[in-house]
């Protein structure tokens, strides 16, 4: 009877030990799975952030206005060209001036691009031509303070003698303070002055 009781106690002890080991194993697996899931979630989150950052780095935002069909702010891939922006804006209008555009140029993030109107460009060119014409005329004036004998002699109504008188006047009195002062030179009256006043300068 005593031996039977001993066997029973041993069997119960072994069973209790097995239960304890089983519970410890279950808890270990649970903790391990939780850590694995947490790490996996962190990896996915980091991957998503990395993907978003990568997307931002490869996108630029630019503004186009002027003679395009749909002026607006557009997002394009980095390294996009002007031709890509024009295409996204619906193409050119009939009034677009495209001769000076470099359609192959790489776009810069945050930039504004303007397509000029051909009529405005034509007006500006006409104004520039007019300005150049005025400049050319001014460059053709004879400076009576610095001109030599030959240049003064070329003025209408001024011969070699009067040209010599002009140089002599400069030598004696210094530079002319105004073009009207040339009438103080011997041989130059109102008649000759009226003929040369539009051809001379003191600047």
């Amino acid at each position: 009877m005593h031996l039977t009781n001993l066997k029973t106690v041993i069997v119960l002890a072994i069973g209790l030990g097995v239960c304890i080991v089983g519970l410890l194993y279950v808890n270990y697996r649970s903790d391990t799975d939780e850590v694995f899931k947490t790490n996996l979630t962190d990896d996915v989150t980091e991957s998503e952030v990395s993907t978003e950052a990568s997307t931002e780095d490869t996108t630029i935002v630019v503004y186009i206005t002027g003679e395009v069909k749909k002026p607006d702010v557009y997002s394009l891939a980095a390294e996009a060209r002007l031709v890509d922006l024009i295409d996204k804006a619906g193409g050119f209008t009939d009034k677009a001036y495209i001769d000076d555009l470099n359609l192959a140029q790489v776009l810069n993030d945050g930039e504004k691009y303007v397509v000029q109107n051909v009529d405005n460009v034509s007006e500006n060119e006409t104004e520039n031509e007019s300005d150049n014409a005025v400049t050319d005329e001014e460059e053709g004036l004879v400076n009576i303070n610095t001109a030599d004998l030959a240049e003064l002699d070329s003025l209408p109504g001024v011969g070699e003698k009067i040209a010599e008188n002009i140089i002599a006047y400069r030598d004696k009195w210094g530079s002319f303070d105004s073009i009207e002062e040339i009438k103080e030179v011997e041989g130059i009256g109102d008649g000759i002055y009226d003929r040369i006043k539009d051809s001379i300068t003191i600047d």
Side-chain angles (χ1 to χ4, degrees):
M1 185 69 177
H2 178 71
L3 182 59
T4 301
N5 289 339
L6 179 60
K7 289 180 177 180
T8 302
V9 170
I10 291 173
V11 170
L12 290 175
I14 291 172
L16 182 60
V18 170
C19 289
I20 291 173
V21 171
L23 289 173
L24 290 174
Y25 177 74
V26 170
N27 287 336
Y28 171 75
R29 286 297 302 274
S30 177
D31 292 342
T32 302
D33 290 344
E34 188 65 31
V35 171
F36 176 75
K37 290 178 181 178
T38 300
N39 290 339
L40 181 61
T41 301
D42 291 342
D43 290 342
V44 171
T45 302
E46 290 177 1
S47 177
E48 290 175 349
V49 171
S50 177
T51 300
E52 290 176 358
S54 177
T55 301
E56 290 178 358
D57 291 341
T58 57
T59 302
I60 60 172
V61 179
V62 292
Y63 175 43
I64 185 168
T65 185
E67 295 302 324
V68 289
K69 294 179 180 178
K70 295 185 291 185
D72 206 343
V73 175
Y74 293 99
S75 295
L76 295 95
E79 303 302 320
R81 309 281 177 160
L82 181 58
V83 65
D84 301 319
L85 178 59
I86 297 296
D87 183 61
K88 199 158 188 177
F92 297 113
T93 68
D94 294 337
K95 290 289 187 178
Y97 180 76
I98 63 175
D99 289 355
D100 292 339
L101 292 180
N102 178 10
L103 297 179
Q105 76 176 95
V106 177
L107 302 177
N108 295 318
D109 184 44
E111 288 289 335
K112 175 182 178 182
Y113 297 89
V114 181
V115 179
Q116 297 290 338
N117 182 297
V118 66
D119 294 334
N120 293 340
V121 172
S122 297
E123 290 177 2
N124 291 336
E125 288 179 349
T126 300
E127 290 176 359
N128 290 336
E129 289 174 0
S130 179
D131 291 342
N132 290 337
V134 172
T135 302
D136 291 341
E137 290 179 2
E138 290 176 349
E139 290 178 352
L141 298 180
V142 174
N143 189 325
I144 56 177
N145 281 328
T146 60
D148 59 20
L149 184 65
E151 289 175 309
L152 294 171
D153 190 13
S154 69
L155 291 171
V158 175
E160 184 177 346
K161 178 58 179 175
I162 294 179
E164 291 175 349
N165 291 344
I166 293 172
I167 293 175
Y169 182 93
R170 282 193 329 224
D171 292 340
K172 182 177 181 180
W173 303 104
S175 298
F176 293 97
D177 294 325
S178 66
I179 62 172
E180 290 86 355
E181 188 181 345
I182 201 171
K183 290 192 291 184
E184 300 294 327
V185 174
E186 183 180 356
I188 299 180
D190 291 334
I192 292 179
Y193 174 73
D194 288 338
R195 295 177 64 183
I196 67 173
K197 65 181 180 180
D198 293 330
S199 301
I200 59 176
T201 182
I202 58 171
D203 299 324

